[in-house]
Amino acid sequence: MSLEAFAAHLGVSERTLSTWELRGETIAIREVNQAALDTSLKASSPDVHERFASLTGGYESVLPGQSPSGTHDLPQQQQDRHPNDGKQMALVDAGVYLSGGSNKPVWLPAFYIDIFPVTNSDYARFVAATGRQPPEHWLKGKCPDTIFDHPVTFVTWHDAASYASWAGKELPSSQQWEKAARGVRGNVYPWGNQPTPAKCNARESGVGTTTPVSRFHSGVSPYGVYDMCGNTWEWCSTRTVANRYELKAGAFTSPFSRSTPSSFNDASSTMLDDDTGFRCCIAGAALQALLKPRSA
């Protein structure tokens, strides 16, 4: 609603709304006006409830112990190992998260996502199993020991999609990737809202190359996922136009300002560079179905 429409909706003046905003956390609302706000919130949609809980979850004075749609704790970090490629994956529960620069509420079903990007070591097993062309920077087709635990690079979108298929997974959509990076509260960065280049491998870090995927412990997302800012751009399954797909994360070559998970970037599916890699995901029910025989 506009300011004018919202004031009319509550039965207060526009000046009253402006006064509330000005007072911020020190606000003291008359009981009759608080009742109007409460009634309006209760009559709102689940998306509005989720957004309200996301924006006010840090204030103990707001709905203590619960949100309008139930408890609103930080996500539980459930992890499982995929039986095909052996990589640890984090569960991202079904539900609404705040998407993009405008924090639009978006609902996604549950899925698992790789905790770490696909490394050179991971990709070496794929090359050995399938005979696919190794990345061009591997010496004589063999991955150097010094970068085994770095994200694989010089891979096209088609290379990434082929690996995902071989592993029984898929590339994440840009929305899946963003939710895994930001959580449900609309955080600007995986670690919160404070711009801290030291928590990732961006241009300002001065590293000048890729780093081991487990290096930046302080920069993990609410789901415990690494390298969601910096190190390498990551291919997504979301196509923008013919033969172009979205990229997320930023890279060691990119300024920190380009590393926010809500930022947009895309490239041709045949592009390959020293700062572009990927990770995989799988539907939550699909991974659980694969794990059942093992745990039975």
Side-chain angles (χ1 to χ4, degrees):
M1 296 181 187
S2 66
L3 185 68
E4 181 180 10
F6 189 53
H9 174 69
L10 295 177
V12 299
S13 68
E14 293 177 45
R15 172 180 281 188
T16 297
L17 289 186
S18 298
T19 301
W20 292 352
E21 290 184 325
L22 181 65
R23 290 178 180 173
E25 296 179 33
T26 64
I27 190 172
I29 299 177
R30 293 172 57 197
E31 186 175 346
V32 63
N33 291 335
Q34 183 63 62
L37 286 164
D38 292 344
T39 300
S40 178
L41 181 62
K42 289 176 181 177
S44 298
S45 67
D47 284 352
V48 173
H49 291 175
E50 288 289 347
R51 178 171 172 77
F52 178 85
S54 296
L55 295 175
T56 61
Y59 298 95
E60 294 181 1
S61 60
V62 179
L63 297 173
Q66 63 177 13
S67 75
S69 56
T71 58
H72 191 77
D73 300 321
L74 290 173
Q76 298 297 312
Q77 295 183 8
Q78 178 179 333
Q79 299 178 2
D80 286 293
R81 189 177 297 277
H82 196 284
N84 290 1
D85 64 356
K87 288 182 68 67
Q88 282 287 110
M89 306 189 79
L91 174 65
V92 179
D93 287 320
V96 172
Y97 84 104
L98 301 182
S99 172
S102 62
N103 280 340
K104 176 184 177 182
V106 172
W107 187 91
L108 292 176
F111 63 95
Y112 281 85
I113 192 165
D114 288 340
I115 291 175
F116 301 110
V118 172
T119 64
N120 286 290
S121 179
D122 297 326
Y123 202 78
R125 292 194 295 273
F126 165 65
V127 169
T130 63
R132 196 172 187 87
Q133 185 74 18
E136 62 182 49
H137 65 301
W138 289 9
L139 302 177
K140 297 181 180 180
K142 300 292 184 181
C143 175
D145 292 344
T146 54
I147 60 171
F148 253 41
D149 57 352
H150 290 224
V152 66
T153 57
F154 287 105
V155 286
T156 67
W157 182 89
H158 301 285
D159 293 329
S162 292
Y163 175 98
S165 178
W166 168 77
K169 304 178 185 179
E170 56 192 4
L171 296 180
S173 69
S174 60
Q175 290 185 336
Q176 287 175 320
W177 196 101
E178 184 185 356
K179 182 176 181 180
R182 300 178 68 188
V184 299
R185 296 176 180 266
N187 291 343
V188 177
Y189 306 101
W191 54 84
N193 295 314
Q194 186 68 27
T196 314
K199 291 180 180 288
C200 67
N201 183 12
R203 184 188 296 171
E204 288 85 345
S205 304
V207 178
T209 186
T210 58
T211 49
V213 296
S214 60
R215 174 169 174 172
F216 290 93
H217 300 290
S218 63
V220 299
S221 81
Y223 297 98
V225 182
Y226 282 68
D227 277 358
M228 303 301 266
C229 270
N231 214 2
T232 63
W233 290 103
E234 296 185 12
W235 288 112
C236 294
S237 64
T238 304
R239 187 171 67 175
T240 55
V241 294
N243 299 319
R244 293 184 71 85
Y245 292 85
E246 285 199 47
L247 295 162
K248 288 289 190 181
F252 70 90
T253 56
S254 309
F256 177 69
S257 60
R258 292 280 286 144
S259 299
T260 52
S262 61
S263 297
F264 173 82
N265 190 20
D266 71 347
S268 167
S269 61
T270 58
M271 186 275 293
L272 73 169
D273 211 337
D274 66 344
D275 65 354
T276 305
F278 67 100
R279 75 180 73 217
C280 302
C281 75
I282 185 173
L287 181 56
Q288 289 301 317
L290 287 172
L291 294 175
K292 275 184 179 179
R294 186 184 67 179
S295 59

